[in-house]
Coordinates of all heavy atoms in Angstrom, one line a residue:
Q23 N 5.4 13.0 -72.7 CA 6.7 12.9 -73.3 C 6.9 11.6 -74.1 O 6.3 10.6 -73.8 CB 7.8 13.0 -72.3 CG 8.0 14.4 -71.7 CD 9.2 14.4 -70.7 OE1 9.0 14.4 -69.5 NE2 10.4 14.4 -71.2
S24 N 7.7 11.7 -75.2 CA 7.8 10.5 -76.1 C 8.7 9.5 -75.4 O 9.6 9.9 -74.5 CB 8.4 10.9 -77.4 OG 9.8 11.3 -77.2
L25 N 8.6 8.3 -75.8 CA 9.5 7.2 -75.3 C 10.9 7.5 -75.6 O 11.8 7.2 -74.8 CB 9.1 5.9 -75.9 CG 7.7 5.3 -75.5 CD1 7.3 4.1 -76.4 CD2 7.7 5.0 -74.1
Q26 N 11.2 8.1 -76.8 CA 12.6 8.4 -77.1 C 13.2 9.4 -76.1 O 14.3 9.3 -75.7 CB 12.7 8.9 -78.5 CG 14.1 9.2 -79.0 CD 14.2 9.6 -80.4 OE1 13.3 10.4 -80.9 NE2 15.2 9.1 -81.2
E27 N 12.4 10.4 -75.8 CA 12.9 11.5 -74.9 C 13.1 10.9 -73.5 O 14.1 11.2 -72.8 CB 11.9 12.6 -74.9 CG 12.2 13.7 -73.9 CD 13.5 14.4 -74.1 OE1 14.1 14.3 -75.3 OE2 14.1 15.1 -73.2
V28 N 12.2 10.1 -73.0 CA 12.3 9.5 -71.7 C 13.5 8.6 -71.6 O 14.3 8.6 -70.7 CB 11.0 8.7 -71.3 CG1 11.2 7.9 -70.0 CG2 9.8 9.6 -71.2
A29 N 13.7 7.8 -72.7 CA 14.9 6.9 -72.7 C 16.2 7.7 -72.7 O 17.2 7.3 -72.1 CB 14.8 6.0 -74.0
R30 N 16.2 8.8 -73.5 CA 17.4 9.7 -73.5 C 17.7 10.2 -72.2 O 18.8 10.2 -71.7 CB 17.2 10.8 -74.5 CG 18.4 11.7 -74.8 CD 18.1 12.8 -75.7 NE 17.1 13.7 -75.1 CZ 17.4 14.7 -74.2 NH1 18.6 14.8 -73.7 NH2 16.4 15.4 -73.7
Q31 N 16.7 10.7 -71.4 CA 16.9 11.2 -70.1 C 17.4 10.2 -69.1 O 18.2 10.4 -68.3 CB 15.6 11.9 -69.6 CG 15.2 13.2 -70.3 CD 14.0 13.9 -69.7 OE1 14.0 14.0 -68.4 NE2 13.1 14.4 -70.5
M32 N 16.8 9.0 -69.2 CA 17.2 7.9 -68.4 C 18.7 7.5 -68.6 O 19.4 7.3 -67.7 CB 16.3 6.6 -68.6 CG 14.9 6.8 -68.0 SD 13.8 5.4 -68.5 CE 14.6 4.0 -67.7
A33 N 19.1 7.6 -69.9 CA 20.5 7.3 -70.2 C 21.4 8.4 -69.6 O 22.5 8.1 -69.1 CB 20.7 7.1 -71.7
Q34 N 21.0 9.6 -69.8 CA 21.8 10.7 -69.3 C 22.0 10.7 -67.8 O 23.0 10.9 -67.2 CB 21.2 12.1 -69.7 CG 21.3 12.4 -71.2 CD 20.7 13.7 -71.5 OE1 19.8 14.2 -70.8 NE2 21.1 14.3 -72.6
R35 N 20.9 10.3 -67.1 CA 20.9 10.3 -65.6 C 21.4 8.9 -65.1 O 21.6 8.8 -63.9 CB 19.5 10.5 -65.1 CG 19.0 12.0 -65.3 CD 19.5 12.9 -64.2 NE 19.0 12.5 -62.9 CZ 17.8 12.9 -62.4 NH1 17.1 13.8 -63.0 NH2 17.5 12.5 -61.2
R36 N 21.7 8.0 -66.0 CA 22.0 6.6 -65.6 C 21.0 6.1 -64.6 O 21.4 5.5 -63.6 CB 23.4 6.6 -65.0 CG 24.5 7.0 -66.0 CD 25.9 6.9 -65.3 NE 26.9 7.3 -66.3 CZ 28.2 7.3 -66.0 NH1 28.7 7.0 -64.8 NH2 29.1 7.7 -67.0
S37 N 19.8 6.3 -64.9 CA 18.7 5.9 -64.1 C 18.0 4.7 -64.7 O 17.8 4.6 -65.9 CB 17.7 7.0 -63.9 OG 16.5 6.6 -63.2
S38 N 17.6 3.7 -63.9 CA 16.9 2.5 -64.4 C 15.4 2.7 -64.4 O 14.7 1.8 -64.8 CB 17.3 1.3 -63.5 OG 16.9 1.5 -62.2
A39 N 14.9 3.8 -64.0 CA 13.5 4.1 -64.0 C 13.2 5.5 -64.0 O 14.1 6.4 -63.7 CB 12.8 3.4 -62.8
A40 N 12.0 5.9 -64.3 CA 11.5 7.3 -64.3 C 10.1 7.3 -63.7 O 9.3 6.4 -64.0 CB 11.5 7.9 -65.6
L41 N 9.8 8.3 -62.8 CA 8.5 8.5 -62.3 C 7.7 9.4 -63.3 O 8.2 10.4 -63.7 CB 8.6 9.2 -60.9 CG 9.4 8.4 -59.8 CD1 9.3 9.2 -58.5 CD2 8.8 7.0 -59.6
V42 N 6.5 8.9 -63.6 CA 5.6 9.7 -64.5 C 4.6 10.4 -63.6 O 3.9 9.8 -62.8 CB 4.9 8.8 -65.5 CG1 4.1 9.7 -66.4 CG2 5.9 8.0 -66.2
R43 N 4.6 11.8 -63.6 CA 3.7 12.5 -62.8 C 3.0 13.7 -63.5 O 3.5 14.1 -64.5 CB 4.5 13.0 -61.5 CG 5.5 14.1 -61.8 CD 6.2 14.5 -60.6 NE 7.1 15.6 -60.8 CZ 7.9 16.2 -59.9 NH1 7.9 15.7 -58.7 NH2 8.7 17.2 -60.2
Q44 N 2.0 14.1 -62.9 CA 1.3 15.3 -63.4 C 0.8 16.1 -62.2 O 0.1 15.6 -61.3 CB 0.1 14.9 -64.3 CG -0.7 16.0 -64.9 CD -1.8 15.5 -65.9 OE1 -1.8 14.4 -66.2 NE2 -2.6 16.5 -66.3
D45 N 1.1 17.4 -62.2 CA 0.7 18.3 -61.2 C 1.1 17.7 -59.8 O 0.3 17.7 -58.8 CB -0.8 18.6 -61.2 CG -1.2 19.2 -62.5 OD1 -0.4 20.0 -63.0 OD2 -2.4 19.0 -62.9
D46 N 2.3 17.2 -59.7 CA 2.9 16.7 -58.5 C 2.2 15.5 -57.9 O 2.3 15.1 -56.8 CB 2.9 17.8 -57.4 CG 4.2 17.8 -56.6 OD1 5.2 17.3 -57.2 OD2 4.2 18.4 -55.5
V47 N 1.4 14.8 -58.8 CA 0.7 13.6 -58.4 C 1.3 12.4 -59.3 O 1.5 12.6 -60.5 CB -0.8 13.7 -58.7 CG1 -1.5 12.3 -58.4 CG2 -1.4 14.7 -57.8
L48 N 1.6 11.3 -58.6 CA 2.3 10.2 -59.4 C 1.2 9.5 -60.2 O 0.2 9.0 -59.7 CB 2.9 9.2 -58.3 CG 3.6 8.0 -58.9 CD1 4.8 8.4 -59.7 CD2 3.9 7.0 -57.8
L49 N 1.5 9.3 -61.5 CA 0.6 8.6 -62.4 C 1.1 7.2 -62.6 O 0.3 6.3 -62.8 CB 0.6 9.3 -63.8 CG 0.0 10.8 -63.8 CD1 0.0 11.3 -65.2 CD2 -1.4 10.8 -63.2
G50 N 2.4 7.0 -62.6 CA 2.9 5.7 -62.9 C 4.4 5.6 -62.9 O 5.1 6.6 -62.5
L51 N 4.9 4.5 -63.3 CA 6.4 4.3 -63.3 C 6.8 3.6 -64.6 O 6.0 2.7 -65.1 CB 6.7 3.3 -62.1 CG 8.2 2.9 -62.0 CD1 9.0 4.0 -61.5 CD2 8.2 1.7 -61.0
V52 N 7.9 4.0 -65.2 CA 8.4 3.3 -66.4 C 9.9 2.9 -66.1 O 10.7 3.7 -65.5 CB 8.3 4.2 -67.6 CG1 9.2 5.5 -67.5 CG2 8.8 3.4 -68.9
T53 N 10.2 1.7 -66.4 CA 11.6 1.2 -66.1 C 12.3 0.7 -67.4 O 11.6 0.6 -68.5 CB 11.5 -0.1 -65.2 OG1 10.9 -1.2 -65.9 CG2 10.6 0.3 -63.9
E54 N 13.5 0.4 -67.3 CA 14.3 -0.1 -68.4 C 13.6 -1.4 -69.0 O 13.6 -1.7 -70.2 CB 15.7 -0.4 -68.0 CG 16.6 0.8 -67.8 CD 18.0 0.4 -67.3 OE1 18.1 -0.6 -66.6 OE2 18.9 1.2 -67.6
H55 N 13.1 -2.2 -68.0 CA 12.5 -3.5 -68.5 C 11.2 -3.2 -69.3 O 10.9 -3.8 -70.3 CB 12.1 -4.3 -67.2 CG 11.3 -5.5 -67.6 ND1 11.9 -6.6 -68.1 CD2 10.0 -5.8 -67.4 CE1 11.0 -7.6 -68.3 NE2 9.8 -7.1 -67.9
D56 N 10.5 -2.1 -68.9 CA 9.3 -1.7 -69.6 C 9.7 -1.3 -71.1 O 9.0 -1.7 -72.0 CB 8.6 -0.5 -68.9 CG 8.0 -0.9 -67.6 OD1 7.7 -2.1 -67.4 OD2 7.9 0.0 -66.7
L57 N 10.7 -0.5 -71.2 CA 11.1 -0.1 -72.5 C 11.5 -1.2 -73.4 O 11.3 -1.2 -74.6 CB 12.3 0.9 -72.4 CG 12.0 2.3 -71.7 CD1 13.2 3.1 -71.6 CD2 10.9 3.0 -72.4
S58 N 12.1 -2.3 -72.8 CA 12.6 -3.4 -73.5 C 11.4 -4.3 -73.9 O 11.2 -4.7 -75.1 CB 13.6 -4.3 -72.7 OG 13.9 -5.5 -73.4
A59 N 10.5 -4.6 -72.9 CA 9.4 -5.6 -73.1 C 8.2 -5.0 -73.9 O 7.5 -5.6 -74.6 CB 9.0 -6.2 -71.8
R60 N 7.9 -3.7 -73.6 CA 6.7 -3.1 -74.1 C 7.0 -2.2 -75.3 O 6.0 -1.7 -76.0 CB 6.0 -2.3 -73.0 CG 5.6 -3.1 -71.8 CD 5.0 -2.2 -70.7 NE 4.8 -3.0 -69.5 CZ 4.3 -2.5 -68.4 NH1 4.1 -1.2 -68.3 NH2 4.2 -3.2 -67.3
V61 N 8.2 -1.8 -75.6 CA 8.5 -0.9 -76.7 C 9.3 -1.7 -77.8 O 8.9 -1.9 -78.9 CB 9.3 0.3 -76.2 CG1 9.6 1.2 -77.4 CG2 8.5 1.1 -75.2

Side-chain angles (χ1 to χ4, degrees):
Q23 285 185 256
S24 70
L25 292 173
Q26 184 177 38
E27 176 61 19
V28 172
R30 185 183 64 80
Q31 290 187 43
M32 289 172 62
Q34 286 179 340
R35 292 277 297 270
R36 296 184 179 178
S37 175
S38 59
L41 301 181
V42 183
R43 68 181 184 181
Q44 182 175 350
D45 298 329
D46 226 18
V47 174
L48 182 67
L49 298 180
L51 176 73
V52 62
T53 68
E54 289 177 330
H55 176 75
D56 295 332
L57 295 178
S58 173
R60 299 176 187 174
V61 180

